[in-house]
Amino acid sequence: MPYTVTGRFDDGSAYQVQVTGDADRPVVGSARAAALIELHTGQSIPLTPTGPLRVVAGDDEEAVLAVLHRYTDVIKKGAGVPRQAQTPEA
């Protein structure tokens, strides 16, 4: 189920994306956020601060959200966020 994520990059630039769960276009709304996901596709990332690890894939909504949490400041997550992905990063 698609959901919206709002956040900021390290340089302060804001973004708002819709996480689609589609392998070809995991996020829509920010070319920069899409490039970030593409850059980390195939790498392992913890879903929460204490794990478990998951390989980033465009169709894995939890892993996409984990990339956004790790490399940006996620400010707000809309309705539909996967249950496990709702855990705030410490």
Side-chain angles (χ1 to χ4, degrees):
M1 177 176 176
Y3 57 91
T4 302
V5 176
T6 304
R8 276 191 304 261
F9 293 101
D10 289 342
D11 66 1
S13 299
Y15 70 87
Q16 184 173 52
V17 294
Q18 184 175 32
V19 178
T20 65
D22 181 8
D24 295 328
R25 281 186 81 175
V27 295
V28 176
S30 167
R32 192 169 170 190
L36 180 67
I37 302 303
E38 185 177 336
L39 178 68
H40 293 286
T41 296
Q43 298 177 0
S44 294
I45 191 163
L47 294 181
T48 66
T50 58
L53 288 177
R54 177 101 44 99
V55 174
V56 177
D59 59 351
D60 185 341
E61 295 178 10
E62 290 178 338
V64 168
L65 183 58
V67 169
L68 293 174
H69 265 291
R70 182 164 187 166
Y71 297 102
T72 73
D73 179 20
V74 173
I75 299 167
K76 183 179 176 185
K77 296 175 278 192
V81 175
R83 186 181 271 307
Q84 184 172 352
Q86 291 184 19
T87 305
E89 192 165 323

